[in-house]
Amino acid sequence: MKKAIFFDIDGTLISCLNDITHITPRVKKCIKALQNDGNYIFIATGRPYAFLNNELLEFGFDGFVLTNGAQVIVGDEVIYKQRINKDTINKIVGNFEKYDVQYILQGDIYSYMKKEYKELYLNYDSFSISRKYIKEEYNINDIDVYKMEMLCTNKEAADYCLSLQNEEFECNHNISGNIFEIYSKKETKASGIMKALTYLNVSIENSYAFGDGKNDVEMLEAVGCGIAMGNASDEVKMHAKKVTCDVGNDGVAVGIEKFIR
């Protein structure tokens, strides 16, 4: 039976904060071996398409679960996408302007950010994120938005961003420094993975996921075997069936060898 394996990026395949900016040769070899055995390999990330580097785009993954499940791509086909309501986006962005919040709107292929947001650009530069798919000129009413990230440089701005967490939105302050992210609670990596499994006719029992962060909890619980990275918090590990080594010690490769192949 074919298996489907889903990989988080940050803290799992790479760790920019620890100068691991590329997938290591051992991890690449193990992931490719899974694919060569006839299994499906996927990225499952909070990142939008614009934040995927050439290494990830050219690796040969069978698909992508993007923006925490709000977009699902299998092969060259977008099998699911659910944007945030445009009126809601306009209201929130209006308040971002009021509180001097620097923000990026994450869309289908492109993401959108004003050119004057120097600090936010520098943050993404530190993660080696290309500006190729970031547009500075746009009409907010002409774009679909799936997730937002914000830089809050004062307490009033941070308090406003945190106030957006409710029954509709999740607001995380766990990326780095003063960076926040907002996305729909209806969409998670788990919900995106379920859509991919249904499309591919792969059973939950034959699904696996690797992750390390708070936004990986749902997928670690939902798949047949959720594998937490060694560098994950104890809280995240509690939701996994297995725990592998940390990202700096080829944790993905170790997990594949021990728990999948």
Side-chain angles (χ1 to χ4, degrees):
M1 296 291 290
K2 286 192 173 185
K3 302 169 184 175
I5 304 92
F6 299 82
F7 302 94
D8 171 52
I9 298 174
D10 301 291
T12 301
L13 290 178
I14 62 173
S15 179
C16 294
L17 295 176
N18 294 299
D19 294 322
I20 305 170
T21 56
H22 297 279
I23 305 173
T24 67
R26 182 184 176 190
V27 171
K28 284 183 180 180
K29 183 179 179 180
C30 285
I31 294 175
K32 280 295 186 182
L34 287 173
Q35 193 175 43
N36 292 338
D37 288 343
N39 302 303
Y40 300 106
I41 57 170
F42 275 76
I43 289 292
T45 181
R47 293 188 184 205
Y49 185 91
F51 287 10
L52 301 178
N53 60 30
N54 286 336
E55 179 181 33
L56 294 171
L57 292 173
E58 296 171 3
F59 187 90
F61 285 101
D62 295 296
F64 299 89
V65 176
L66 302 172
T67 51
N68 287 329
Q71 300 165 281
V72 183
I73 300 170
V74 178
D76 294 324
E77 184 176 356
V78 178
I79 68 164
Y80 178 80
K81 61 179 181 178
Q82 183 61 56
R83 63 175 173 80
I84 300 173
N85 178 274
K86 287 183 181 288
D87 289 339
T88 301
I89 291 293
N90 274 292
K91 179 180 178 181
I92 291 174
V93 166
N95 284 320
F96 284 166
E97 303 287 351
K98 174 182 175 181
Y99 292 111
D100 293 322
V101 175
Q102 296 184 26
Y103 60 91
I104 186 167
L105 306 175
Q106 299 177 355
D108 289 287
I109 300 297
Y110 292 94
S111 288
Y112 306 87
M113 181 165 62
K114 294 182 178 181
K115 62 182 178 181
E116 59 263 32
Y117 292 162
K118 306 299 184 184
E119 292 170 280
L120 194 50
Y121 272 113
L122 287 174
N123 173 76
Y124 293 132
D125 289 343
S126 72
F127 284 89
S128 301
I129 291 172
S130 170
R131 301 189 184 190
K132 179 179 179 181
Y133 292 109
I134 298 178
K135 285 191 172 183
E136 297 176 343
E137 300 294 332
Y138 62 92
N139 184 326
I140 193 171
N141 295 309
D142 294 337
I143 63 175
D144 288 334
V145 177
Y146 301 93
K147 191 162 77 77
M148 296 172 279
E149 289 185 7
M150 305 82 68
L151 172 67
C152 299
T153 56
N154 61 72
K155 186 178 184 301
E156 188 178 26
D159 287 345
Y160 171 69
C161 289
L162 289 172
S163 76
L164 294 170
Q165 180 159 298
N166 53 36
E167 65 278 358
E168 181 179 3
F169 290 112
E170 183 76 39
C171 179
N172 284 332
H173 180 206
N174 65 344
I175 304 177
S176 64
N178 296 317
I179 304 296
F180 295 72
E181 62 178 1
I182 291 176
Y183 52 91
S184 171
K185 283 186 175 178
K186 297 177 183 177
E187 315 298 336
T188 66
K189 292 185 183 183
S191 66
I193 285 172
M194 292 303 115
K195 291 176 175 64
L197 293 178
T198 299
Y199 183 87
L200 295 169
N201 195 28
V202 173
S203 68
I204 293 176
E205 291 74 21
N206 286 319
S207 64
Y208 300 77
F210 288 81
D212 73 297
K214 179 181 176 182
N215 67 340
D216 295 320
V217 165
E218 291 92 349
M219 77 169 181
L220 292 175
E221 290 185 324
V223 297
C225 183
I227 304 168
M229 300 298 291
N231 46 279
S233 67
D234 289 341
E235 179 184 359
V236 171
K237 290 175 182 175
M238 287 174 55
H239 296 275
K241 290 184 174 67
K242 303 290 183 181
V243 177
T244 185
C245 300
D246 62 45
V247 63
N249 288 293
D250 291 333
V252 166
V254 172
I256 290 172
E257 292 165 354
K258 288 181 65 175
F259 307 126
I260 305 178
R261 295 198 75 206

